[in-house]
Amino acid sequence: MEIFYSIQGEGFYSGTPAIFIRLGGCDVGCVWCDVKESWNEEDHPFFTIPEILSQIKDYPCKTIIITGGEPLMYDMGELTAALKEKGYQLNIETSGAYPVTGQWDWVCFSPKKFKAPNESIYAHADELKAIVFNKSDFDFAEEHAEKVNRTCKLYLQPEWSKAEKMTPQIIEYAKDHSRWNISLQTHKYLNIP
Ligand code: SF4
């Protein structure tokens, strides 16, 4: 869908410069999705792996975030092997709705109520980022936290349109359940892509 160089706004890598490769296509259907234009993969250009490598080669950065859409709708083996060969660090942002493929240095798993995660994601998740849209999302977050590895970082992030209402509740929840950290969509506050 698009390739751009920016700063990771949220989660464990928040504040880190990174090349973003956004893959078109998603069938998860989150009602509050902020990239609905990504859903239909046919709306977006097709790039070969050499074309992707050529587009990113001049960025002064070796960290890549592959996002979507839902990137695990595709077999990520070939693309990640080619990027690894060039020495990139590879992070993925996924809802976990499909089996994990590809070679990853960091897996950010953000489960969604709209399509259940594939069981393979739990063993791979380095970071669990639960989006809080309403109160029931705290229980939803805990359900998934039970299944990830003990080393997995846990984040609660307010859904953007509900941030004003939910952030105070997230703050109190994190204080009462100190395994959880707060993630904010800082790129939206900073007005960067
Ligand atoms: S998984 Fe991501 S891209 Fe897909 S609908 Fe949900 S928020 Fe949007």
Side-chain angles (χ1 to χ4, degrees):
M1 179 177 167
E2 57 181 348
I3 295 176
F4 58 97
Y5 182 41
S6 188
I7 307 287
Q8 169 62 305
E10 53 193 58
F12 183 78
Y13 277 86
S14 180
T16 305
I19 301 163
F20 290 77
I21 300 178
R22 186 187 301 284
L23 303 186
C26 184
D27 62 358
V28 176
C30 306
V31 288
W32 41 257
C33 176
D34 57 1
V35 275
K36 288 192 167 123
E37 63 278 19
S38 72
W39 289 6
N40 183 4
E41 65 272 26
E42 287 173 11
D43 291 345
H44 305 292
F46 179 83
F47 296 110
T48 63
I49 290 174
E51 283 168 345
I52 292 173
L53 292 174
S54 154
Q55 282 196 47
I56 65 176
K57 71 177 174 10
D58 293 331
Y59 291 128
C61 178
K62 280 292 186 188
T63 300
I64 290 179
I65 296 172
I66 296 193
T67 185
E70 174 42 69
L72 290 180
M73 281 176 74
Y74 310 103
D75 182 341
M76 298 302 295
E78 224 178 313
L79 175 61
T80 56
L83 293 168
K84 273 273 141 219
E85 199 178 297
K86 298 285 181 194
Y88 288 101
Q89 157 152 346
L90 298 183
N91 297 9
I92 185 171
E93 303 260 340
T94 178
S95 68
Y98 288 86
V100 178
T101 53
Q103 306 169 38
W104 302 106
D105 296 292
W106 190 264
V107 174
C108 173
F109 165 45
S110 185
K112 305 293 178 349
K113 283 178 175 167
F114 310 94
K115 193 172 170 84
N118 181 278
E119 287 295 314
S120 68
I121 190 68
Y122 296 104
H124 287 88
D126 297 297
E127 168 182 0
L128 168 63
K129 185 173 68 188
I131 310 301
V132 180
F133 182 80
N134 60 37
K135 259 190 161 163
S136 69
D137 290 319
F138 292 113
D139 288 342
F140 182 72
E142 293 290 359
E143 256 171 55
H144 295 287
E146 286 300 310
K147 295 181 163 185
V148 294
N149 290 327
R150 290 176 68 87
T151 53
C152 183
K153 309 277 182 203
L154 306 182
Y155 288 96
L156 295 168
Q157 177 174 297
E159 193 277 322
W160 182 248
S161 70
K162 299 281 179 186
E164 207 173 316
K165 178 171 175 209
M166 296 314 297
T167 303
Q169 295 181 46
I170 293 172
I171 292 169
E172 289 312 311
Y173 192 91
K175 284 161 66 183
D176 289 344
H177 306 81
S178 61
R179 294 193 308 158
W180 290 94
N181 289 345
I182 297 178
S183 168
L184 297 175
Q185 292 186 294
T186 58
H187 52 295
K188 294 191 177 176
Y189 293 102
L190 297 172
N191 215 8
I192 55 176

